[in-house]
Amino acid sequence: MSKTLYKLIVIAGLWMGANAAFAGNPDRQGEAGAHELLINPWARSAGLHTLNTSSIMGVEAMRLNIAGLSRMVKGEFAVSNCQLYKGTGLSMNELGFGTKMGKNGAFGVTLSSLSFGKIPVTTVNQPEGTGENFSPNFFHIGIGYSYLYDNKISVGILVRGISESISSVSAFGFAIDAGVQYVSGPQDNFRLGISLRNTGSPMIFGGQGLSVSNSNIDPAGGTTYNLTYDQRAEDFELPSILNVGASYDTYFNVEKKDYLRIVGNFTSNAFSQDQLGIGAEFSFRERIVLRGAYKANFGKSSAGIGEELYTGLAGGVSIIFPTKKDGSSSFGIDYAYRATRTFDGTHNLAVRFAF
């Protein structure tokens, strides 16, 4: 593929991204549902406050920019745990698997679940609790495919099924993610990424939990009997989000791959404030990686909307252990911390095996 065509594709992507980025409506803040789609359980990208749209690769790319899936060497398996707002009992677990298909293609599957802990059951007559507990079930499954064009441009698409339920009420929907990454420079120093996530059909809750049995309002012949009344739930949109990011690598030792990567990212949220962030990642011998980032809201919030829970600061570290002498496979441990204004921050821990 010619360089001219590469440039046309990138320019077209930027043009579409710029148009979408300023198409949001700030008056819609807080109106979307399924906000667990915006939670990042993976430690490597969480250490950069999810700003690495342009440089993310492997299994983690299925959460941020599916185009990066095809940039893994052969295959990857990873498991993560995210302790959300430590002290609340909220956590998210995710499992991901990705493998190359042919020389340039890659296929991946990801499973995630959000845990709320044990919530006491209360009623009108027993407001202090009945002694029983319940926990909502929030579950996602995603299937993605990415293709790499001559190491310069990678594209990808992912379809995600979303299930939210309690014992008697549930909702189900689909979301589609799409992304593109562009790489240039003598050592692939410059990277550009665009991803559009969570575009899909509205979701609506239904089930027996929305039904109630009451007496008929107009007794026929004076006879009173019960009827089942169904309450109609309002549907809700998915939290669509657009990311436009770039990064640049400065190498201190090309052969041993010691580099400092600076990343920047603009996030356009359809149902909340836009965000702007910058971060840095330092890699030493491909064995130890240090990360840090800061992200802030961009623009004014709607009346009555307070400050974000996160302070904007994030940091993380990765330790990689090669399992083969030629470095073709490795085992890694990743950790990230994001500071919050209340509670004890969000902690991410992941283990991954590249083969």
Side-chain angles (χ1 to χ4, degrees):
M1 189 180 292
S2 67
K3 292 184 179 180
T4 302
L5 184 55
Y6 282 139
K7 293 178 180 179
L8 289 175
I9 293 175
V10 174
I11 292 171
L14 286 173
W15 180 81
M16 290 186 292
N19 278 274
F22 295 99
N25 183 357
D27 294 333
R28 302 170 70 189
Q29 287 184 203
E31 294 182 5
H35 279 279
E36 70 276 9
L37 292 170
L38 301 178
I39 298 174
N40 182 9
W42 298 110
R44 282 188 292 176
S45 51
L48 286 170
H49 232 322
T50 322
L51 301 176
N52 54 334
T53 306
S54 60
S55 59
I56 194 169
M57 62 180 65
V59 166
E60 289 197 20
M62 289 187 283
R63 176 59 64 167
L64 176 58
N65 187 350
I66 181 61
L69 179 65
S70 57
R71 294 189 179 275
M72 60 186 172
V73 178
K74 291 183 179 179
E76 191 175 79
F77 174 80
V79 179
S80 73
N81 174 262
C82 175
Q83 295 294 319
L84 286 159
Y85 326 126
K86 189 68 175 178
T88 64
L90 290 169
S91 66
M92 174 173 272
N93 297 306
E94 183 143 352
L95 181 150
F97 172 78
T99 182
K100 296 286 275 190
M101 296 184 66
K103 182 180 179 181
N104 297 322
F107 171 80
V109 178
T110 177
L111 305 172
S112 61
S113 64
L114 182 63
S115 173
F116 293 84
K118 294 182 179 181
I119 303 175
V121 176
T122 61
T123 65
V124 174
N125 296 326
Q126 295 176 289
E128 298 299 323
T130 64
E132 298 179 346
N133 297 303
F134 78 99
S135 181
N137 296 308
F138 282 31
F139 179 80
H140 302 160
I141 179 171
I143 299 175
Y145 180 79
S146 176
Y147 191 84
L148 178 64
Y149 294 93
D150 193 28
N151 193 46
K152 292 296 182 182
I153 289 183
S154 60
V155 297
I157 188 169
L158 179 140
V159 178
R160 196 185 311 273
I162 309 155
S163 174
E164 300 181 351
S165 66
I166 55 175
S167 59
S168 56
V169 178
S170 63
F172 186 81
F174 287 96
I176 297 176
D177 296 358
V180 59
Q181 286 182 338
Y182 172 75
V183 175
S184 182
Q187 283 87 38
D188 295 340
N189 307 72
F190 175 73
R191 298 169 185 264
L192 177 68
I194 300 174
S195 69
L196 181 62
R197 299 187 54 234
N198 307 332
T199 59
S201 60
M203 295 175 61
I204 186 170
F205 281 98
Q208 294 182 353
L210 297 179
S211 301
V212 61
S213 180
N214 284 324
S215 59
N216 58 319
I217 59 176
D218 186 19
T223 303
T224 301
Y225 52 89
N226 286 341
L227 292 174
T228 299
Y229 297 89
D230 290 328
Q231 302 179 68
R232 295 182 179 179
E234 183 72 20
D235 61 4
F236 56 89
E237 300 286 340
L238 301 181
S240 301
I241 183 173
L242 173 77
N243 286 290
V244 180
S247 65
Y248 187 83
D249 301 345
T250 300
Y251 280 86
F252 304 101
N253 189 321
V254 176
E255 293 182 357
K256 296 182 179 179
K257 298 184 179 180
D258 297 340
Y259 66 83
L260 175 66
R261 174 175 294 159
I262 304 297
V263 301
N265 194 83
F266 173 74
T267 302
S268 176
N269 293 289
F271 293 92
S272 61
Q273 287 180 266
D274 296 337
Q275 295 174 316
L276 193 64
I278 187 171
E281 181 178 69
F282 176 73
S283 176
F284 178 74
R285 303 292 193 270
E286 292 190 304
R287 297 293 180 264
I288 299 176
V289 183
L290 302 176
R291 306 178 181 90
Y294 180 79
K295 183 166 65 173
N297 291 333
F298 182 77
K300 297 181 179 180
S301 63
S302 298
I305 303 296
E307 291 183 324
E308 288 286 331
L309 180 58
Y310 288 107
T311 65
L313 294 173
V317 60
S318 293
I319 302 176
I320 300 96
F321 305 93
T323 55
K324 289 185 178 180
K325 292 183 179 180
D326 60 359
S328 59
S329 64
S330 63
F331 174 79
I333 301 175
D334 310 311
Y335 172 77
Y337 174 79
R338 286 168 287 171
T340 55
R341 301 184 189 280
T342 56
F343 308 113
D344 296 322
T346 292
H347 302 260
N348 295 69
L349 180 65
V351 293
R352 52 190 167 85
F353 176 64
F355 55 90

